[in-house]
Amino acid sequence: MPEQLLNVAQVAKLLGTWETSGERFPRRLIEERRITFVKVGRHVRIPASAVAELIAANTVQPINARRTATNRTAA
C-alpha cells in the first residue's frame, strides 16, 4: 500500500501552526528544502513519514540535572 500523502494544510494542522500562520510554515519548509515533498502536477504533497522525521529530528530531550551540594543555594 502506498504511503499517505498530505497536503500543506494537513501538515500545518499536524505541526500545530495552522492557527497562527496558516500554511506559511510548511510552505517555507518546502521552499527551503527542509522536508521531503512530492509534486504531482502543480500540487505539492508531503509524505506522512517526512513529517514524523522532521518532528523526530527537531525534538529536544530534557536535561535531567541533579542538584548537588555545590549548586544548592544557601537557605
Side-chain angles (χ1 to χ4, degrees):
M1 174 170 250
E3 182 176 7
Q4 181 182 11
L5 297 175
L6 308 170
N7 64 31
V8 176
Q10 291 170 318
V11 173
K13 288 178 184 173
L14 276 176
L15 294 175
T17 61
W18 180 254
E19 296 295 323
T20 56
S21 65
E23 297 179 1
R24 279 187 294 159
F25 182 64
R27 289 196 184 279
R28 193 176 83 219
L29 293 174
I30 292 165
E31 181 182 336
E32 295 173 357
R33 303 291 197 262
R34 292 172 49 200
I35 193 166
T36 303
F37 65 95
V38 178
K39 284 199 76 165
V40 182
R42 65 184 185 101
H43 302 284
V44 176
R45 299 292 182 256
I46 301 169
S49 64
V51 177
E53 288 172 13
L54 177 78
I55 292 170
N58 291 290
T59 299
V60 178
Q61 297 298 324
I63 298 174
N64 294 327
R66 285 197 235 163
R67 293 185 70 161
T68 63
T70 58
N71 69 0
R72 288 186 185 160
T73 58

